[in-house]
Amino acid sequence: MRRLLGAGKRHIVRRCRGLGRSPLLRNAIIAFGCVTVAAFAAAAEEAPVLEIGSGVEPFVDDWLIQSMTNVSLRLHHPTRREVALEFDAPWEGPISFYVTVFKDEDRYRMYYRGWGEPDDPDDVTCYAESPDGIHWTKPSLGLFEVKGTSDNNVIWTGEGTHNFAPFRDANPAAADSERYKALAGGPLIALASPDGIHWRKMRDEPVITEGAFDSQNLGFWDTVRGQYVAYLRGNIGGIRTIGRATSADFLNWSGTTWLDFGDAPTEHLYTNAITPYFRAPHIYLGFPKRFVPERKRVAEWSSSGVSDGVFMTSRDGLHWHRFVEAFLRPGLDRDNWTERNMHIAAGVVPTGADELSVYWVEHYRHPTARLRRGTLRTDGFVSVHAGHPGGEFLTKPLAFQGKELVINYATSAAGSVRVEMQDAQGRPIAGRSLDDCPEIYGDEIEQVVTWNDGSDVSAEQGKAVRLRVALTDADLYSIQFRP
């Protein structure tokens, strides 16, 4: 820090030489400047070093960012694709809902509630599968007789069909007979399956009793923290919200802790769709359905309330950054402007080398009720964005493991990205300044950053460094230091 202070003072003195002969003015400016440099130097030295290893770090929040100049975090939106599934079987219908999708080795699995009308007692849990996450089929399983036939895709008719939410258990200690697990009902019961098709209750008594539960209550094994996590509906002061519980064995759970949404406004969050991001499992993504009960867009519709999908993210599971603008709007389709539409399914899955898919319910309570697929680029939820004439941002001190820096970015034909690597005090590392970095332009999921003398940054691994990134008409979605 002593060297930085000395260099800063010399720079300020040089800049003050043209201010005239008033020593009082010069000395005041020099003193002020030195205080500023000292404050920066102290902050630089005291800033904690972020250990990021060699994993993917998407810019879904500002965790990595120290400062931004003429750039901002931009939320991106899914591109509407084909209708993935029609809820048109006799045991399905207009109020089919609460969809879960996950990739399971060589196939994609989908689970959802099949339900025709509120006075129909036969709501059931249905199953579909796909080889690619795009083309879905409803297999005839013959497990239960429903509506006079066992030629159906029903996998559960017992307690909890209203909101059956399964997952493949990644816990290495899980028994093969319980490789798939689910939470369902309200209070929540625990279920298990060896194959994702044949299910049983793990015990008769509920496992989670604190909450409201009339929603899609989700569970999963957190591979980073080594515990089961559940996210469930709550109600605080008449406002629908989200709570969290944890468990070591899926049967004995902690009490419910309500999530902290920071400075986001208090709004009804009807579902949560929370999942660890499979490319960066230390980060949770959430896609709540935001419900606005007092609005009515379609005058002749019997019920009030409109919905959209929002996006939020967390690094500890309790404190969340929630974008207030919609991630998924109802759009031009009038039948999506009636109550409780735009339910985003639980699950984000890869459906191509550069593509992610999410799914959502449309036309809820209409005869045409269905599930649509939407896509984003890999890591494409949020970017650091700069327009023209450009801007830059500086990261906090970070320590990495790897040989080269890989970025996921997109520019216009005239845009660019350049990267500078600095030491922890903000001094450019020799050969890694902005001037040493040729302009990067194009659109790539994985682009190795190269300076004039190459791309190898292994000499800096394990040390505290900062990245200064200059952007012009460009988006940066994620970074990774790759071995």
Side-chain angles (χ1 to χ4, degrees), residues 176-379:
D176 289 342
S177 62
E178 299 177 351
R179 182 52 59 197
Y180 300 83
K181 292 183 174 68
L183 292 173
L188 296 178
I189 60 170
L191 302 100
S193 168
D195 57 7
I197 302 295
H198 302 84
W199 293 85
R200 62 173 177 83
K201 291 175 66 174
M202 295 179 70
R203 74 180 188 197
D204 289 334
E205 299 79 19
V207 295
I208 300 179
T209 59
E210 184 184 0
F213 306 121
D214 182 21
S215 182
Q216 185 180 30
N217 307 286
L218 304 173
F220 53 83
W221 173 259
D222 185 325
T223 59
V224 174
R225 298 161 185 87
Q227 62 184 357
Y228 292 101
V229 181
Y231 285 95
L232 48 109
R233 161 75 70 80
N235 193 306
I236 298 178
I239 303 296
R240 298 168 177 86
T241 191
I242 303 166
R244 178 179 187 265
T246 59
S247 172
D249 60 6
F250 203 66
L251 294 177
N252 300 285
W253 290 82
S254 70
T256 299
T257 302
W258 306 114
L259 304 189
D260 174 13
F261 300 111
D263 57 2
T266 300
E267 296 177 301
H268 289 277
L269 301 180
Y270 200 93
T271 56
N272 68 77
I274 290 171
T275 182
Y277 182 35
F278 66 89
R279 280 176 48 85
H282 59 293
I283 295 175
Y284 288 178
L285 308 178
F287 304 87
K289 182 177 67 173
R290 173 171 54 189
F291 184 52
V292 187
E294 66 275 9
R295 289 190 166 187
K296 188 173 185 179
R297 185 70 182 87
V298 180
E300 65 271 24
W301 193 251
S302 59
S303 302
S304 63
V306 294
S307 305
D308 59 17
V310 294
F311 176 79
M312 63 184 191
T313 184
S314 175
R315 291 175 181 267
D316 66 4
L318 289 172
H319 302 89
W320 291 78
H321 171 67
R322 180 164 73 82
F323 286 82
V324 178
E325 69 175 278
F327 173 72
L328 177 66
R329 294 179 178 180
L332 291 169
D333 191 332
R334 187 172 182 268
D335 288 346
N336 286 336
W337 283 97
T338 53
E339 43 92 20
R340 291 172 174 82
N341 262 297
M342 315 315 292
H343 155 59
I344 299 177
V348 175
V349 295
T351 48
D354 57 1
E355 177 185 275
L356 304 175
S357 286
V358 294
Y359 306 81
W360 61 85
V361 172
E362 296 183 334
H363 295 191
Y364 182 66
R365 291 190 183 273
H366 294 270
T368 51
R370 62 203 188 189
L371 187 77
R372 185 175 294 278
R373 184 174 74 100
T375 60
L376 299 105
R377 69 183 290 133
T378 300
D379 303 338

Side-chain angles (χ1 to χ4, degrees), residues 82-101:
E82 74 287 340
V83 172
L85 206 69
E86 303 273 5
F87 298 133
D88 55 1
W91 47 89
E92 297 173 352
I95 49 178
S96 297
F97 213 49
Y98 295 143
V99 181
T100 300
V101 179

